């Protein structure tokens, strides 16, 4: 919360609860303030019940459908005082096991001391006819849970922490949540909880943790390793880990860092190995995943399978059936799939990867193999299925998800104990696959399953940890066919030609406007944005017959004058303006409106979806899935993801982002009829050759770059690739040197 933001204070009594999400505590209630009519208050208020006194701090706003309401950011709850308020509170069902009849009898028996009895002497409840000792103790436990939640929320509010943390903390730690949090505030630094390290660290310091406390230093080391997973690193060299953690914690003395790292290593939370001469520090789970991928792939690489009799004739018949004649490299690729258990197929646009894929699929069918097709994202899977004229799924859906009762975590259903039934698995867009996902896939493959991995190593690497596809190729250990010939038909496309030029470090002729590749020069952000809006709203639909929903705007960056934030605001205003019949809901800086194009931006394995017009349903939406908001109704935003309907409650809207414009990174694995790239400004790490190459190759029929040709030239010349620390290539090549014992400097 912003510190200098002025908040309005309301004090009153809860009149009624309109809506409550039991999972996260999000509540809509009516609050009586003074003598006036009750006002609508929304926010995280788990367990709030009629009769309870509340003091809320927040701000007024207006909901498109429900009018004026007060958004509570800080909530102070007062225990109801007096028999009337106590009766009203208990009658509301706030305490499990107590209804209106039981509440009345409790208050009649114990009066103003009812709460004291419930908390300290629940066995006294047996004085009331019909309440057994077992039920009395259960009611006491339920009441103490409510009181414990109050104390937890009060603690969170006192330290300026979001009240929304209350429910997930309670689900995780139960009645001990407050004690656990006070004992180790760094437990807040968790993907589900979403608290920054600096916030948790400040809380720890406020609670009396010393600057060199081992708990603090260990938490800092683990945070740096987890944080750098999203920078693509599977490990960090000890020297870099020490420096980064020292900067994070403000420590100059290296001894506490050395001791903390040794302690974490001894407990097995960090694993140290020597990789390419570096003292590599891994999170234990990441080291296990990387080592497992290397182990299983090595097994697969060492195994040669017996090809079917008459392989040459089978390939000839596939050529005839598909009306093509394979180039030598393509024939090699299809043939290799017959006798190698694992292979890599790679090449740039126009080199015939799709033709090879269809050939391999036909070969496996001829061999009587059950084949599964998969890709990292929903759009990539859909595209793969269309290209191969068969069903394809995301890797996540292929592996399926289930609930582990021992850990309370969602896990993949298919693993080494319940492998996939498929005899062969083909995975496209492998450059997007990170090491943990690859480990999960390898665990789900039978020992005799064939694996074909397809991708373009020049595309941007995965968002998650590792440099998987590149490492596989560079290791030289995995059988590989690299397609290099650009076929004549593809070469006629300026998109294909210019993509290869960019990839080779050559600047395309931007003054030449071909029928599928254009450059519109704009020198300032405002004119660039206006041009992009005009292209989407008028020029492409009217002049080229390309509707707006088949155009994807891309930008290298989120911020700055032509970043996705600015572009989405402008495009929403032009393509989906407000209207009386369109519901809408504000979340942060964005107004979600019926008709908006949106993207799911995190993997959510337990979100429910149902198929439109059918009875099918399932679980899971994944990072990169794009849909359209159908309706904004009551407290639900309904999104259509290519026929899969998902309901988002207000607390879930943080998983959605507007997608009229998306970053190039987010567009990986997708293909669009028309792509418009804003190329004007951005950080050097984003304005790179790889980003430009990836953007161009997302376009199927039309690519337009809007911006400064000088910026495009700088992107072509900037072949900067952020180094990723990964040990996979070394493991596959047999170069790992074993465990490192290097001390921190």
């Amino acid at each position: 919360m912003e510190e200098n933001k002025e908040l309005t204070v309301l004090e009153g009594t809860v009149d009624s609860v309109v809506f409550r999400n039991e999972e996260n505590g999000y509540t809509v209630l009516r609050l009586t303030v003074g003598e006036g009519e009750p006002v609508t208050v929304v926010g995280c208020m788990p367990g709030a019940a009629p009769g309870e006194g509340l003091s809320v701090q927040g701000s007024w706003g207006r909901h498109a459908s429900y009018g004026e309401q007060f958004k509570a950011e800080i909530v102070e709850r007062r225990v109801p005082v007096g028999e009337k308020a106590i009766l009203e509170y208990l009658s509301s069902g706030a305490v499990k096991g107590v209804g209106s009849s039981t509440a009345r009898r409790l208050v009649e028996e114990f009066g103003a001391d009812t709460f004291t009895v419930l908390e300290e002497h629940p066995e006294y409840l047996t004085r009331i006819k019909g309440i057994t000792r077992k039920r009395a103790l259960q009611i006491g436990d339920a009441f103490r849970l409510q009181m414990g939640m109050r104390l937890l929320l009060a603690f969170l509010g006192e330290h300026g922490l979001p009240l929304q943390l209350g429910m997930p903390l309670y689900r995780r730690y139960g009645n001990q949540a407050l004690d656990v949090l006070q004992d180790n505030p760094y437990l807040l630094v968790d993907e589900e909880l979403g608290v920054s390290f600096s916030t948790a660290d400040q809380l720890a310091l406020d609670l009396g943790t010393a600057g060199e406390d081992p708990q603090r230093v260990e938490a800092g080391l683990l945070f740096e390793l987890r944080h750098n997973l999203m920078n693509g690193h599977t490990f960090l060299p000890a020297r870099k880990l020490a420096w980064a953690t020292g900067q994070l914690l403000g420590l100059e003395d290296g001894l506490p860092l050395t001791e903390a790292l040794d302690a974490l290593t001894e407990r097995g939370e960090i694993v140290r190995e020597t990789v390419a001469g570096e003292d590599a520090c891994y999170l234990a789970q990441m080291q296990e995943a990387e080592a497992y991928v290397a182990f299983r792939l090595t097994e697969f690489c060492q195994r040669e399978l017996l090809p079917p009799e008459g392989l040459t004739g089978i390939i000839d018949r596939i050529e005839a059936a598909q009306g093509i004649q394979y180039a030598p490299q393509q024939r090699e690729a299809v043939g290799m799939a017959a006798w190698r258990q694992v292979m890599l197929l790679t090449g740039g646009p126009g080199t015939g990867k799709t033709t090879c894929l269809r050939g391999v699929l036909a070969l496996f069918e001829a061999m009587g193999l059950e084949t599964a097709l998969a890709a990292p994202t929903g759009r990539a899977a859909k595209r793969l299925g269309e290209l191969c004229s068969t069903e394809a799924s995301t890797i996540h859906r292929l592996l399926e998800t289930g609930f582990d009762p021992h850990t309370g975590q969602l896990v993949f259903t298919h693993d080494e104990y319940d492998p996939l039934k498929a005899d062969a698995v083909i995975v496209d867009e492998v450059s997007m696959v990170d090491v943990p996902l690859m480990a999960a896939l390898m665990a789900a493959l039978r020992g005799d399953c064939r694996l074909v991995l397809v991708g373009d190593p020049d595309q941007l690497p995965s968002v998650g940890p590792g440099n998987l596809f590149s490492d596989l190729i560079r290791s030289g250990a995995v059988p590989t066919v690299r397609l290099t010939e650009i076929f004549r038909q593809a070469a006629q496309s300026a998109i294909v030609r210019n993509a290869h030029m960019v990839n080779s470090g050559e600047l395309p002729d931007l003054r030449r406007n071909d029928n599928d590749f254009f450059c519109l020069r704009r020198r300032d952000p405002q004119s660039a944005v206006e041009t992009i809006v005009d292209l989407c709203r008028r020029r492409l639909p009217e002049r080229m017959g390309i509707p707006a929903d088949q155009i994807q705007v891309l930008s290298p960056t989120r911020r700055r004058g032509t970043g996705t934030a600015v572009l989405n605001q402008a495009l929403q205003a032009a393509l989906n303006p407000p209207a009386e019949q369109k519901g809408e809901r504000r979340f942060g800086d964005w107004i979600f409106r019926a008709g908006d194009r949106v993207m799911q931006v995190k993997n959510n394995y337990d979100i429910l979806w149902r198929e439109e017009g059918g009875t099918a349903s399932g679980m899971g939406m994944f990072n990169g899935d794009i849909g359209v908001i159908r309706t904004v109704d009551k407290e639900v935003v309904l999104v259509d993801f290519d026929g899969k309907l998902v309901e988002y409650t207000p607390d879930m809207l943080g998983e959605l982002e507007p997608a009229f414009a998306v970053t190039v990174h987010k567009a990986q694995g997708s293909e669009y009829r028309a792509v418009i790239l804003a190329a004007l400004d951005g950080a050097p790490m984003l304005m790179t050759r790889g980003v430009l190459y990836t953007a161009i190759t997302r376009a199927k029929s039309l690519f337009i770059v809007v911006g400064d040709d000088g910026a495009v030239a700088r992107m072509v010349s900037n072949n900067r690739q952020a180094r990723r620390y990964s040990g996979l290539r070394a493991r596959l090549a047999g170069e790992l040197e074993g465990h490192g014992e290097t001390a921190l400097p």
Side-chain angles (χ1 to χ4, degrees), residues 222-421:
L222 292 173
F223 168 76
E224 283 295 340
L225 286 175
R226 293 188 186 110
H227 174 72
N228 276 282
L229 294 179
M230 298 314 296
N231 290 332
H233 305 300
T234 60
F235 73 84
L236 285 181
R239 55 185 175 80
K240 287 193 174 249
L241 176 60
W243 180 86
T245 307
Q247 292 291 305
L248 177 72
L249 303 178
L251 297 178
E252 296 181 1
D253 184 2
L255 183 60
L257 293 161
T258 301
E259 292 175 343
L261 182 55
D262 287 344
L264 289 167
T265 305
E266 190 172 335
R267 294 203 302 269
E269 293 184 57
I270 286 178
V271 176
R272 297 169 75 175
E273 296 177 307
T274 302
V275 178
E278 294 279 9
D279 180 9
C281 298
Y282 288 87
L283 289 169
Q285 287 181 312
M286 186 53 57
Q287 189 273 345
E288 183 181 348
E290 189 181 273
Y292 183 77
V293 169
F295 170 72
R296 288 299 309 276
L297 280 175
T298 299
E299 280 189 329
F300 277 39
C301 290
Q302 292 172 347
R303 192 173 295 137
E304 291 188 8
L305 305 175
L306 190 66
E309 289 187 15
L311 176 61
T312 300
I314 294 173
I315 296 176
D316 289 343
R317 288 193 291 275
I318 292 172
E319 284 184 317
Q322 297 186 354
I324 55 172
Q325 183 174 356
Y326 292 132
Q329 290 177 334
Q330 292 176 315
R331 195 174 185 92
E332 179 192 359
V334 176
M336 183 180 286
W339 61 278
R340 300 308 302 249
Q341 188 173 2
V342 62
M343 63 170 287
L344 308 180
L345 176 63
T346 180
T351 57
K353 291 196 300 295
T354 300
T355 299
C356 286
L357 269 180
R358 290 176 181 143
V360 171
L361 187 61
L363 174 66
F364 287 165
E365 288 175 356
M367 295 170 63
L369 304 179
E370 182 180 338
T371 306
L373 274 67
T377 67
R379 293 186 78 86
K382 183 181 180 182
R383 174 171 164 259
L384 176 63
E386 291 170 350
L387 291 173
C388 294
S389 302
T390 189
E391 185 179 355
S393 71
T394 63
I395 299 172
H396 295 85
R397 289 200 173 98
L398 179 69
L399 299 178
E400 299 180 31
T401 55
F403 186 77
D404 186 341
H406 302 293
T407 64
Q409 301 292 315
L410 285 157
V411 295
F412 289 119
T413 300
H414 292 293
D415 55 16
E416 56 263 42
Y417 305 107
D418 183 16
L420 295 166
K421 294 179 181 178

Side-chain angles (χ1 to χ4, degrees), residues 8 10 18 28-31 37-42 59-71 635:
T8 303
L10 296 182
V18 180
V28 181
L29 56 79
R30 301 280 287 167
L31 187 72
E37 288 291 314
V39 298
T40 301
V41 180
V42 302
S59 56
W60 290 99
R62 177 165 288 278
H63 190 279
S65 304
Y66 303 103
E68 194 173 47
Q69 57 185 25
F70 188 86
K71 185 178 180 182
E635 298 299 326

Side-chain angles (χ1 to χ4, degrees), residues 224 229 345 362 544 561 619-620 655 718:
E224 283 295 340
L229 294 179
L345 176 63
M544 303 189 71
M619 297 177 68
E655 298 184 13
N718 180 10

Side-chain angles (χ1 to χ4, degrees), residues 12 19 40 44 63 88 121 163-164 262 296 339 360 390 410 451 466 489 497 575 618 653 696 725:
F19 170 83
T40 301
C44 182
H63 190 279
E88 193 173 358
H121 302 288
L163 301 182
Q164 289 84 348
D262 287 344
R296 288 299 309 276
W339 61 278
V360 171
T390 189
L410 285 157
L451 179 63
Q489 186 175 355
R497 292 198 312 272
L575 303 178
L653 294 179
I696 296 171
Y725 291 108

Side-chain angles (χ1 to χ4, degrees), residues 1-2 56 98 116 136 154 180 187 370 421 430 458 469 502 526 536 564 597 692 697 715:
M1 189 176 64
E2 300 169 20
V56 293
V98 179
T116 303
V180 168
L187 294 172
E370 182 180 338
K421 294 179 181 178
V430 180
D458 297 314
F469 199 51
V502 167
Q526 183 177 343
C536 294
T564 57
R597 187 189 303 177
L692 180 58
T697 54
M715 292 179 78

Side-chain angles (χ1 to χ4, degrees), residues 543-561:
R543 297 182 187 179
M544 303 189 71
I546 304 175
D549 62 0
Q550 296 182 25
I551 305 167
Q552 184 60 61
V553 176
L554 304 180
S555 175
T557 181
R558 288 176 173 273
R559 298 177 179 84
R560 303 198 184 191

